[in-house]
Amino acid sequence: MSGPIANKAASVAISGLVAGYGSLPVLREVSLDIKGGTVAVLLGHNGAGKSTLAKALMGLVTVDAGGIAVDGEDVKGLSTAQRLKRGMALVLQEHAVFADLTVLENLRVGGRTSGVGGDGFAQACDMVYELFPILKEFRGRTATSLSGGQQRMLAIGMSMMTQPRFLILDEPSIGLAPKLVDEVMAQIRLICRQLGVTVLLIEQNVEAALKICDQVVALRSGSVIFAGAPQELGSAMSVLDLL
Ligand SMILES: Nc1ncnc2c1ncn2[C@@H]1O[C@H](COP(=O)(O)OP(=O)(O)OP(=O)(O)O)[C@@H](O)[C@H]1O
Ligand SMILES: [Mg+2]
């Protein structure tokens, strides 16, 4: 792929992370290492704490204890904006696009966070259009007029405008038709391998996620109950049994 962005994928080390909402503890000493340039999949039942982990990594949920290191640098004390500048990005599970803005305007918002302007903006847009050609076709349409799947693609596209080195995707395949799930998963793999982005992929679609990942982590009630290579799972069913 001819993207302008040849990132250096970040290595990520999460250690003993404790986080929650007020007095409600959600994450209980979560530790996880993600090697640069790999895809880690985070599985877990509803309410296990997956989105909380994603938000804690971005500074959107208060961390009570533990550490988050990106390329060996502790980012726990940084604001969300500073983390974005360090190459971290999150595609939220919900409300990830601006409904009344066009596709292009949404991409511009994405680019603004990292200060991409002029030629850089056009190049970054081309990279996104190469990943998801439908977005080029629909660039003048409002996000609200896109299908759910197309909106998910736009959300991923917006995050790619920030030129991340570590990308967290919170259930990108939710509500997608099976054919589209495979397409989005293939593009996530491409983002990782060809654009040099380390990926933490939160998924409930275990089968699709296992096909593209290098590492699997399963959360139950805020604790890691499995971490290893996908082939160590035996079968996807065994992990489903664990959840
Ligand atoms: N803003 C909030 N305030 C208080 N509690 C919250 C908040 N957001 C989530 N929780 C609680 O934290 C726990 C973990 O929620 P979280 O959203 O991280 O789960 P999840 O694994 O992402 O689930 P799902 O698969 O449904 O998206 C749940 O018990 C949830 O009710
Ligand atoms: Mg969630």
Side-chain angles (χ1 to χ4, degrees):
M1 138 163 276
S2 61
I5 299 153
N7 287 336
K8 189 193 162 293
S11 64
V12 180
I14 302 161
S15 55
L17 209 65
V18 178
Y21 305 91
S23 59
L24 174 75
V26 175
L27 301 179
R28 299 158 199 274
E29 300 197 12
V30 169
S31 296
L32 166 62
D33 284 328
I34 313 175
K35 274 203 200 114
T38 66
V39 177
V41 165
L42 181 63
L43 308 173
H45 60 76
N46 295 122
K50 305 181 298 295
S51 296
T52 302
L53 176 58
K55 290 175 189 165
L57 293 177
M58 290 306 294
L60 298 168
V61 166
T62 309
V63 168
D64 298 314
I68 306 162
V70 174
D71 279 338
E73 185 197 358
D74 186 358
V75 299
K76 215 179 68 177
L78 301 182
S79 68
T80 302
Q82 288 169 324
R83 292 181 210 213
L84 282 164
K85 287 216 166 69
R86 292 286 196 292
M88 301 173 72
L90 165 64
V91 179
L92 287 167
Q93 189 171 356
E94 287 148 350
H95 310 300
V97 299
F98 293 95
D100 296 332
L101 298 186
T102 65
V103 165
L104 188 60
E105 286 165 347
N106 268 284
L107 293 180
R108 192 162 284 133
V109 172
R112 194 166 288 169
T113 28
S114 61
V116 174
D119 287 351
F121 175 74
Q123 279 186 318
C125 282
D126 284 345
M127 180 265 294
V128 171
Y129 294 152
E130 211 169 315
L131 283 168
F132 302 112
I134 194 78
L135 295 180
K136 185 172 190 181
E137 196 181 321
F138 290 171
R139 63 190 179 278
R141 283 173 51 167
T142 58
T144 193
S145 74
L146 303 181
S147 73
Q150 290 158 355
Q151 289 187 29
R152 298 306 292 167
M153 292 177 188
L154 177 56
I156 298 171
M158 283 175 74
S159 72
M160 288 306 295
M161 295 295 292
T162 70
Q163 309 186 9
R165 298 182 304 120
F166 174 43
L167 177 62
I168 308 160
L169 297 157
D170 197 347
E171 305 210 26
S173 79
I174 208 158
L176 300 190
K179 192 170 166 286
L180 218 49
V181 172
D182 286 341
E183 198 181 305
V184 168
M185 290 296 148
Q187 297 314 77
I188 292 169
R189 181 86 186 163
L190 201 85
I191 285 169
C192 173
R193 288 292 193 263
Q194 292 199 23
L195 297 177
V197 185
T198 305
V199 174
L200 178 59
L201 171 63
I202 297 173
E203 261 301 337
Q204 303 240 13
N205 190 328
V206 179
E207 206 187 328
L210 289 182
K211 278 190 212 158
I212 65 148
C213 76
D214 303 289
Q215 185 189 176
V216 185
V217 182
L219 270 189
R220 181 160 59 193
S221 304
S223 297
V224 175
I225 53 164
F226 176 88
Q231 51 275 23
E232 286 174 42
L233 281 174
S235 74
M237 279 315 292
S238 65
V239 105
L240 288 178
D241 294 341
L242 285 170
L243 301 180

